Amino acid sequence: STTTNSTVENTLTANICEENFQRAMIVWNRMIELKEKIKESTYSLMIRIASLTQNRKACIEFLEEMKGKKIKAKVRTYSPILSLLSIEGDLEMCQHFFNEMRNVDLIGGEEEFASIFNCLSKCFDPNTNSEKILELTNNYLSLMSDTLTKITCFKLRSSLTNLFKKLNWTVEECKVSLKNSFCYLTNSNLQSMDLTDDEIKDLLNMVLSLITKGSRNLVQTNKEIEEFKSSLLAIDPFDIIIDGANVGFYNQNWEFGAFSYQQINECVNYFEKQGKKVLIILHSKRTQTNADLSVVPTKKRRKVQKSTEQIKTAKTEKTTTSTTAT
């Protein structure tokens, strides 16, 4: 009975996905007829819908069409394809698209690594490819450790657990001391993954390039950067750095949402109670007494305001014309 119910549910889900894909294709073909400019977001959505119907051919065709039109793909473009290939257990193609994604400077996250490890687990055969799977597992684990700082995705944890068990690795959860990184399972101190001097320099150069990018007055910008760096060197190091904009706008995407200084203050109080020295990074415009605290960007508000004025003008002109005609 359980098997029958599961089969029925899977069939219904497949039918719903297929219907959605057919509807999406109608819209897609209509966009082609109207010669609409199709962007990455639309391609990625079509690939996702096609993957839910397990239509590998359509997924790859959409991706190849994107590449042919020089439309830059994103991680969300590749993710459904990797998931589908993982379900099918096609390790060669799963590796191919994962590496292709990495080669165009797209850094996969937990979902993408979960697909790779799940595929490795599905393809594992102790009699034919155990050494190959072990080698690939170590390679991808090394790559993942350079990419992810922690694992929060259940799908990734599950795929790793299943793979490790097939490799006869011990899988256990344990506590690690925050003071000295002591692991109570292995009775050893975990190694600190600190940045090298060269990596720190590269990071600094990247940050500086982001600051100066698009600057209208590069000389003035560089002067302000040097002043800021000098002010930091003149004081003791900070324990905590708070991104004021992200904290201030957190959970404010609703009708009456607004930039919240209270949320920033709560974060500061939380860390200061622990004896931490806190630095808040905040744009100078947010420190003004007449600062705009609204969530909607200024440009968008002006556009909406302009559109409203145009509608009012059009209504007025229509009323005037009607009156004149009468």
mmCIF file of all heavy atoms in Angstrom, residues 176-201:
data_model
loop_
_atom_site.group_PDB
_atom_site.id
_atom_site.type_symbol
_atom_site.label_atom_id
_atom_site.label_comp_id
_atom_site.label_asym_id
_atom_site.label_seq_id
_atom_site.Cartn_x
_atom_site.Cartn_y
_atom_site.Cartn_z
ATOM 1 N N VAL A 176 33.289 20.870 19.145
ATOM 2 C CA VAL A 176 34.638 21.421 19.029
ATOM 3 C C VAL A 176 34.715 22.665 19.907
ATOM 4 O O VAL A 176 33.855 23.546 19.832
ATOM 5 C CB VAL A 176 34.988 21.786 17.573
ATOM 6 C CG1 VAL A 176 36.358 22.436 17.498
ATOM 7 C CG2 VAL A 176 34.940 20.546 16.691
ATOM 8 N N SER A 177 35.714 22.751 20.734
ATOM 9 C CA SER A 177 35.877 23.882 21.641
ATOM 10 C C SER A 177 36.172 25.158 20.857
ATOM 11 O O SER A 177 37.012 25.169 19.952
ATOM 12 C CB SER A 177 37.022 23.618 22.618
ATOM 13 O OG SER A 177 37.338 24.780 23.354
ATOM 14 N N LEU A 178 35.473 26.226 21.205
ATOM 15 C CA LEU A 178 35.702 27.511 20.552
ATOM 16 C C LEU A 178 36.981 28.170 21.047
ATOM 17 O O LEU A 178 37.532 29.054 20.388
ATOM 18 C CB LEU A 178 34.506 28.436 20.787
ATOM 19 C CG LEU A 178 33.170 28.011 20.151
ATOM 20 C CD1 LEU A 178 32.071 28.980 20.553
ATOM 21 C CD2 LEU A 178 33.286 27.963 18.634
ATOM 22 N N LYS A 179 37.448 27.763 22.225
ATOM 23 C CA LYS A 179 38.634 28.392 22.800
ATOM 24 C C LYS A 179 39.931 27.920 22.145
ATOM 25 O O LYS A 179 40.790 28.711 21.790
ATOM 26 C CB LYS A 179 38.681 28.122 24.303
ATOM 27 C CG LYS A 179 37.564 28.820 25.077
ATOM 28 C CD LYS A 179 37.704 28.549 26.569
ATOM 29 C CE LYS A 179 36.608 29.275 27.349
ATOM 30 N NZ LYS A 179 36.715 29.004 28.811
ATOM 31 N N ASN A 180 40.059 26.601 21.999
ATOM 32 C CA ASN A 180 41.327 26.068 21.465
ATOM 33 C C ASN A 180 41.139 25.111 20.289
ATOM 34 O O ASN A 180 42.062 24.405 19.903
ATOM 35 C CB ASN A 180 42.109 25.357 22.573
ATOM 36 C CG ASN A 180 41.263 24.280 23.245
ATOM 37 O OD1 ASN A 180 40.203 23.899 22.751
ATOM 38 N ND2 ASN A 180 41.730 23.797 24.381
ATOM 39 N N SER A 181 39.903 25.070 19.731
ATOM 40 C CA SER A 181 39.595 24.212 18.574
ATOM 41 C C SER A 181 39.840 22.733 18.857
ATOM 42 O O SER A 181 40.194 21.971 17.966
ATOM 43 C CB SER A 181 40.424 24.644 17.355
ATOM 44 O OG SER A 181 40.179 25.974 17.022
ATOM 45 N N PHE A 182 39.648 22.334 20.125
ATOM 46 C CA PHE A 182 39.881 20.934 20.485
ATOM 47 C C PHE A 182 38.682 20.086 20.074
ATOM 48 O O PHE A 182 37.538 20.404 20.388
ATOM 49 C CB PHE A 182 40.098 20.800 21.990
ATOM 50 C CG PHE A 182 40.420 19.396 22.423
ATOM 51 C CD1 PHE A 182 41.694 18.869 22.244
ATOM 52 C CD2 PHE A 182 39.432 18.598 22.995
ATOM 53 C CE1 PHE A 182 41.984 17.567 22.629
ATOM 54 C CE2 PHE A 182 39.715 17.299 23.386
ATOM 55 C CZ PHE A 182 40.992 16.786 23.203
ATOM 56 N N CYS A 183 38.963 18.999 19.324
ATOM 57 C CA CYS A 183 37.927 18.082 18.856
ATOM 58 C C CYS A 183 37.842 16.914 19.838
ATOM 59 O O CYS A 183 38.817 16.178 20.027
ATOM 60 C CB CYS A 183 38.253 17.574 17.446
ATOM 61 S SG CYS A 183 37.113 16.307 16.853
ATOM 62 N N TYR A 184 36.655 16.733 20.436
ATOM 63 C CA TYR A 184 36.486 15.703 21.455
ATOM 64 C C TYR A 184 36.345 14.302 20.859
ATOM 65 O O TYR A 184 36.412 13.314 21.586
ATOM 66 C CB TYR A 184 35.263 16.024 22.323
ATOM 67 C CG TYR A 184 35.448 17.272 23.148
ATOM 68 C CD1 TYR A 184 34.995 18.509 22.689
ATOM 69 C CD2 TYR A 184 36.098 17.218 24.371
ATOM 70 C CE1 TYR A 184 35.188 19.652 23.435
ATOM 71 C CE2 TYR A 184 36.299 18.365 25.132
ATOM 72 C CZ TYR A 184 35.840 19.586 24.653
ATOM 73 O OH TYR A 184 36.037 20.714 25.395
ATOM 74 N N LEU A 185 36.152 14.223 19.547
ATOM 75 C CA LEU A 185 36.047 12.918 18.899
ATOM 76 C C LEU A 185 37.425 12.342 18.570
ATOM 77 O O LEU A 185 37.705 11.166 18.801
ATOM 78 C CB LEU A 185 35.208 13.027 17.619
ATOM 79 C CG LEU A 185 34.992 11.736 16.834
ATOM 80 C CD1 LEU A 185 34.204 10.724 17.659
ATOM 81 C CD2 LEU A 185 34.252 12.024 15.524
ATOM 82 N N THR A 186 38.298 13.204 18.071
ATOM 83 C CA THR A 186 39.640 12.746 17.672
ATOM 84 C C THR A 186 40.706 13.037 18.734
ATOM 85 O O THR A 186 41.862 12.650 18.576
ATOM 86 C CB THR A 186 40.060 13.440 16.361
ATOM 87 O OG1 THR A 186 40.082 14.866 16.567
ATOM 88 C CG2 THR A 186 39.080 13.116 15.239
ATOM 89 N N ASN A 187 40.289 13.758 19.803
ATOM 90 C CA ASN A 187 41.226 14.134 20.870
ATOM 91 C C ASN A 187 42.433 14.911 20.331
ATOM 92 O O ASN A 187 43.586 14.636 20.674
ATOM 93 C CB ASN A 187 41.710 12.893 21.645
ATOM 94 C CG ASN A 187 40.611 12.278 22.480
ATOM 95 O OD1 ASN A 187 39.800 12.990 23.062
ATOM 96 N ND2 ASN A 187 40.563 10.952 22.514
ATOM 97 N N SER A 188 42.153 15.839 19.465
ATOM 98 C CA SER A 188 43.222 16.655 18.879
ATOM 99 C C SER A 188 42.699 18.055 18.591
ATOM 100 O O SER A 188 41.483 18.285 18.532
ATOM 101 C CB SER A 188 43.735 16.016 17.585
ATOM 102 O OG SER A 188 42.689 15.933 16.633
ATOM 103 N N ASN A 189 43.620 18.990 18.407
ATOM 104 C CA ASN A 189 43.255 20.369 18.071
ATOM 105 C C ASN A 189 43.169 20.513 16.556
ATOM 106 O O ASN A 189 44.092 20.127 15.831
ATOM 107 C CB ASN A 189 44.294 21.357 18.611
ATOM 108 C CG ASN A 189 44.288 21.397 20.117
ATOM 109 O OD1 ASN A 189 44.952 20.619 20.770
ATOM 110 N ND2 ASN A 189 43.511 22.312 20.681
ATOM 111 N N LEU A 190 42.047 21.066 16.080
ATOM 112 C CA LEU A 190 41.880 21.258 14.647
ATOM 113 C C LEU A 190 42.789 22.382 14.161
ATOM 114 O O LEU A 190 43.033 23.361 14.874
ATOM 115 C CB LEU A 190 40.419 21.597 14.320
ATOM 116 C CG LEU A 190 39.383 20.537 14.707
ATOM 117 C CD1 LEU A 190 37.996 20.988 14.291
ATOM 118 C CD2 LEU A 190 39.713 19.201 14.053
ATOM 119 N N GLN A 191 43.275 22.222 12.948
ATOM 120 C CA GLN A 191 44.195 23.209 12.380
ATOM 121 C C GLN A 191 43.453 24.479 11.989
ATOM 122 O O GLN A 191 42.374 24.433 11.413
ATOM 123 C CB GLN A 191 44.886 22.620 11.145
ATOM 124 C CG GLN A 191 45.911 23.560 10.509
ATOM 125 C CD GLN A 191 46.545 22.947 9.269
ATOM 126 O OE1 GLN A 191 46.304 21.785 8.970
ATOM 127 N NE2 GLN A 191 47.345 23.713 8.576
ATOM 128 N N SER A 192 44.032 25.605 12.309
ATOM 129 C CA SER A 192 43.452 26.896 11.939
ATOM 130 C C SER A 192 43.745 27.189 10.473
ATOM 131 O O SER A 192 44.893 27.138 10.035
ATOM 132 C CB SER A 192 44.037 28.012 12.815
ATOM 133 O OG SER A 192 43.539 29.266 12.405
ATOM 134 N N MET A 193 42.679 27.491 9.705
ATOM 135 C CA MET A 193 42.838 27.770 8.273
ATOM 136 C C MET A 193 42.979 29.286 8.068
ATOM 137 O O MET A 193 42.043 29.968 7.669
ATOM 138 C CB MET A 193 41.633 27.225 7.502
ATOM 139 C CG MET A 193 41.412 25.725 7.676
ATOM 140 S SD MET A 193 42.780 24.745 7.042
ATOM 141 C CE MET A 193 42.565 24.980 5.285
ATOM 142 N N ASP A 194 44.164 29.793 8.402
ATOM 143 C CA ASP A 194 44.404 31.230 8.279
ATOM 144 C C ASP A 194 44.804 31.606 6.851
ATOM 145 O O ASP A 194 45.353 30.784 6.110
ATOM 146 C CB ASP A 194 45.521 31.658 9.238
ATOM 147 C CG ASP A 194 45.134 31.436 10.690
ATOM 148 O OD1 ASP A 194 43.960 31.684 11.020
ATOM 149 O OD2 ASP A 194 45.999 31.008 11.478
ATOM 150 N N LEU A 195 44.542 32.859 6.505
ATOM 151 C CA LEU A 195 44.944 33.356 5.191
ATOM 152 C C LEU A 195 46.446 33.626 5.174
ATOM 153 O O LEU A 195 47.017 34.085 6.163
ATOM 154 C CB LEU A 195 44.199 34.648 4.854
ATOM 155 C CG LEU A 195 42.684 34.554 4.645
ATOM 156 C CD1 LEU A 195 42.107 35.950 4.417
ATOM 157 C CD2 LEU A 195 42.345 33.659 3.470
ATOM 158 N N THR A 196 47.050 33.366 4.039
ATOM 159 C CA THR A 196 48.468 33.688 3.886
ATOM 160 C C THR A 196 48.611 35.183 3.631
ATOM 161 O O THR A 196 47.627 35.871 3.325
ATOM 162 C CB THR A 196 49.084 32.903 2.716
ATOM 163 O OG1 THR A 196 48.458 33.334 1.490
ATOM 164 C CG2 THR A 196 48.881 31.412 2.883
ATOM 165 N N ASP A 197 49.833 35.705 3.725
ATOM 166 C CA ASP A 197 50.073 37.127 3.466
ATOM 167 C C ASP A 197 49.670 37.504 2.041
ATOM 168 O O ASP A 197 49.105 38.576 1.807
ATOM 169 C CB ASP A 197 51.559 37.454 3.688
ATOM 170 C CG ASP A 197 51.954 37.359 5.156
ATOM 171 O OD1 ASP A 197 51.046 37.428 6.009
ATOM 172 O OD2 ASP A 197 53.162 37.223 5.433
ATOM 173 N N ASP A 198 49.970 36.620 1.083
ATOM 174 C CA ASP A 198 49.608 36.891 -0.318
ATOM 175 C C ASP A 198 48.096 36.922 -0.499
ATOM 176 O O ASP A 198 47.567 37.749 -1.253
ATOM 177 C CB ASP A 198 50.214 35.825 -1.239
ATOM 178 C CG ASP A 198 51.730 35.964 -1.365
ATOM 179 O OD1 ASP A 198 52.238 37.078 -1.117
ATOM 180 O OD2 ASP A 198 52.391 34.964 -1.705
ATOM 181 N N GLU A 199 47.385 36.024 0.194
ATOM 182 C CA GLU A 199 45.917 35.984 0.090
ATOM 183 C C GLU A 199 45.302 37.244 0.690
ATOM 184 O O GLU A 199 44.316 37.773 0.173
ATOM 185 C CB GLU A 199 45.380 34.737 0.792
ATOM 186 C CG GLU A 199 45.663 33.443 0.026
ATOM 187 C CD GLU A 199 45.272 32.207 0.813
ATOM 188 O OE1 GLU A 199 45.305 32.264 2.075
ATOM 189 O OE2 GLU A 199 44.964 31.181 0.194
ATOM 190 N N ILE A 200 45.894 37.726 1.784
ATOM 191 C CA ILE A 200 45.407 38.957 2.417
ATOM 192 C C ILE A 200 45.617 40.148 1.482
ATOM 193 O O ILE A 200 44.742 41.018 1.346
ATOM 194 C CB ILE A 200 46.118 39.196 3.764
ATOM 195 C CG1 ILE A 200 45.709 38.121 4.767
ATOM 196 C CG2 ILE A 200 45.804 40.586 4.309
ATOM 197 C CD1 ILE A 200 46.442 38.174 6.088
ATOM 198 N N LYS A 201 46.769 40.199 0.810
ATOM 199 C CA LYS A 201 47.049 41.278 -0.144
ATOM 200 C C LYS A 201 46.072 41.235 -1.312
ATOM 201 O O LYS A 201 45.573 42.268 -1.768
ATOM 202 C CB LYS A 201 48.487 41.164 -0.656
ATOM 203 C CG LYS A 201 49.543 41.547 0.371
ATOM 204 C CD LYS A 201 50.951 41.396 -0.195
ATOM 205 C CE LYS A 201 52.004 41.760 0.845
ATOM 206 N NZ LYS A 201 53.386 41.577 0.317
#
